[in-house]
Amino acid sequence: MAQRSWGLRPPPRSISLVMLVSVMIWTIKWNCWSASYISSRSRGYLLFFIFGLPAICTLETFTVSGPLIQPSLALEGEDVLLSCHLSPKRDARGMTVKLVRGPLVVVLYHRGQEREDVQAPLFQGRTEMQRQGLTEGKMTVKIHRVQLSDSGLYTCYFQESTFHNESSSDLLVRERQRGAFSVIGPVQPIQAKQREDATLSCELSPRMDAQSMSVTWFRNKTLIHKFPSGEKLEEFQGAELEGRTELLTPDLAEGKVTLRIQQVQISDSGPYTCHVRSPENYDEAHAELQVTENLATSQKIPAREIITVIFIGFFLVF
């Protein structure tokens, strides 16, 4: 990671205050402002020490850091995130922020707006700046559908007033083999209530039609659903989920593999695995299902018990 900075690096504030006070005392003592032997250039120097030096001394500096792991790797056709951040952490919404690759401007953020007019044609329509991170001094840019030509050295640049700093990192885009894909599962556990339906989902990256592929879902090592189903599934399926699983086949056209489990029970909680196979490739992803007790259902009093209580109460009264 390469880092460079420009601008004056301020001295400690205690020294700057001493200098400022000394200059002011010297000015008053010798009445230099009215003295005929003080040249206009000398007066300019005095103005700089009195007014310019304090401004420089109060200028806050920062460093810019990029990703710890380099280079950033991506497969052709994927989306990639490039990010950098300020240290110390601070609000960067009022700064000028840009990401460049050599002379090409990938993203330019200035005065609260993205300047699309200066963006390189190669990146137009393929970038997305995630502004929410600027409040903490972080710039993240997503480049959609990366190409082999996107490989190279990217420089992240922050500027405030006359001070700016930058950090560089490499992006390496590799050629994707024919039919290659990866399967991505949910990051967070799937939450569901007892006796409700739950959906577990994974998806292909890059997005592609999965209708002609083989899809299997497992709970632990037990097969619970298969698509397309060429054999009698009940011979392999776990008894606890028999007849309660359904694959949402319309989602396959968009590369989504979604399994619906009907009337989930507490015992359905646990890890699930999504397998997707094509003639050229194979991958899998994992999902966690957490089923909690439905209090509204569990606390419901059966009608028979209500009738019994009313009958006993009526008998005791009369």
Side-chain angles (χ1 to χ4, degrees):
M1 185 193 321
Q3 292 189 359
R4 290 183 293 175
S5 62
W6 293 266
L8 294 175
R9 195 167 290 274
R13 292 191 178 183
S14 58
I15 298 177
S16 65
L17 290 175
V18 172
M19 293 173 63
L20 177 60
V21 172
S22 300
V23 171
M24 294 180 66
I25 293 175
W26 182 83
T27 303
I28 296 172
K29 179 178 180 180
W30 294 101
N31 195 18
C32 67
W33 202 247
S34 61
S36 59
Y37 56 86
I38 296 297
S39 66
S40 59
R41 179 176 296 181
S42 299
R43 293 177 180 177
Y45 290 153
L46 287 174
L47 286 173
F48 170 77
F49 277 106
I50 295 174
F51 299 104
L53 186 61
I56 294 176
C57 293
T58 57
L59 180 65
E60 295 187 22
T61 62
F62 50 81
T63 60
V64 181
S65 301
L68 295 177
I69 301 176
Q70 294 196 38
S72 299
L73 302 177
L75 291 177
E76 184 181 13
E78 289 183 339
D79 296 347
V80 65
L81 293 175
L82 300 178
S83 64
C84 56
H85 62 275
L86 296 177
S87 182
K89 185 186 299 185
R90 54 182 300 188
D91 193 337
R93 288 177 294 179
M95 298 184 183
T96 297
V97 184
K98 67 179 178 180
L99 180 69
V100 299
R101 197 196 74 194
L104 303 178
V105 176
V106 182
V107 167
L108 173 61
Y109 174 88
H110 180 64
R111 295 182 178 178
Q113 299 293 330
E114 291 184 47
R115 294 283 305 276
E116 297 181 357
D117 56 313
V118 298
Q119 188 179 39
L122 177 64
F123 296 101
Q124 289 181 356
R126 294 199 298 127
T127 61
E128 177 187 349
M129 183 176 181
Q130 300 179 359
R131 298 191 188 184
Q132 63 271 21
L134 290 175
T135 56
E136 297 183 349
K138 182 178 182 180
M139 180 180 74
T140 302
V141 176
K142 177 183 287 187
I143 303 179
H144 298 279
R145 306 178 302 279
V146 292
Q147 309 165 6
L148 296 177
S149 58
D150 292 332
S151 297
L153 185 67
Y154 287 76
T155 302
C156 173
Y157 173 103
F158 284 81
Q159 178 174 351
E160 183 179 43
S161 186
T162 60
F163 183 83
H164 58 279
N165 207 336
E166 66 181 39
S167 176
S168 299
S169 60
D170 280 302
L171 170 65
L172 179 59
V173 182
R174 294 176 174 173
E175 185 176 5
R176 180 183 294 276
Q177 298 180 356
R178 180 181 177 272
F181 60 83
S182 58
V183 181
I184 302 174
V187 178
Q188 301 294 332
I190 305 300
Q191 306 287 339
K193 295 290 186 182
Q194 187 179 16
R195 297 188 181 89
E196 295 180 350
D197 293 352
T199 56
L200 305 176
S201 182
C202 60
E203 59 184 46
L204 304 185
S205 177
R207 183 177 299 176
M208 61 180 67
D209 192 342
Q211 295 180 96
S212 61
M213 299 182 186
S214 173
V215 176
T216 50
W217 276 92
F218 290 83
R219 180 172 183 265
N220 294 321
K221 295 183 179 181
T222 303
L223 175 65
I224 61 173
H225 201 96
K226 182 178 177 63
F227 173 88
S229 181
E231 62 275 347
K232 190 177 180 181
L233 186 61
E234 285 75 9
E235 296 180 1
F236 307 95
Q237 188 180 35
E240 68 276 6
L241 288 170
E242 183 177 344
R244 294 196 291 122
T245 61
E246 174 190 6
L247 190 71
L248 304 185
T249 53
D251 290 352
L252 293 174
E254 298 182 355
K256 296 181 180 179
V257 182
T258 304
L259 180 72
R260 176 185 292 161
I261 303 176
Q262 302 172 351
Q263 297 289 307
V264 292
Q265 307 168 9
I266 299 295
S267 59
D268 294 334
S269 299
Y272 290 76
T273 305
C274 167
H275 296 250
V276 182
R277 182 185 296 274
S278 71
E280 301 87 7
N281 194 31
Y282 163 82
D283 197 15
E284 65 181 38
H286 303 279
E288 180 80 17
L289 175 62
Q290 295 179 352
V291 182
T292 56
E293 186 177 5
N294 193 332
L295 296 179
T297 302
S298 62
Q299 294 177 356
K300 186 176 180 180
I301 302 176
R304 181 180 299 177
E305 294 183 8
I306 296 177
I307 295 175
T308 302
V309 170
I310 294 176
F311 178 78
I312 294 175
F314 180 82
F315 178 79
L316 293 175
V317 172
F318 296 96

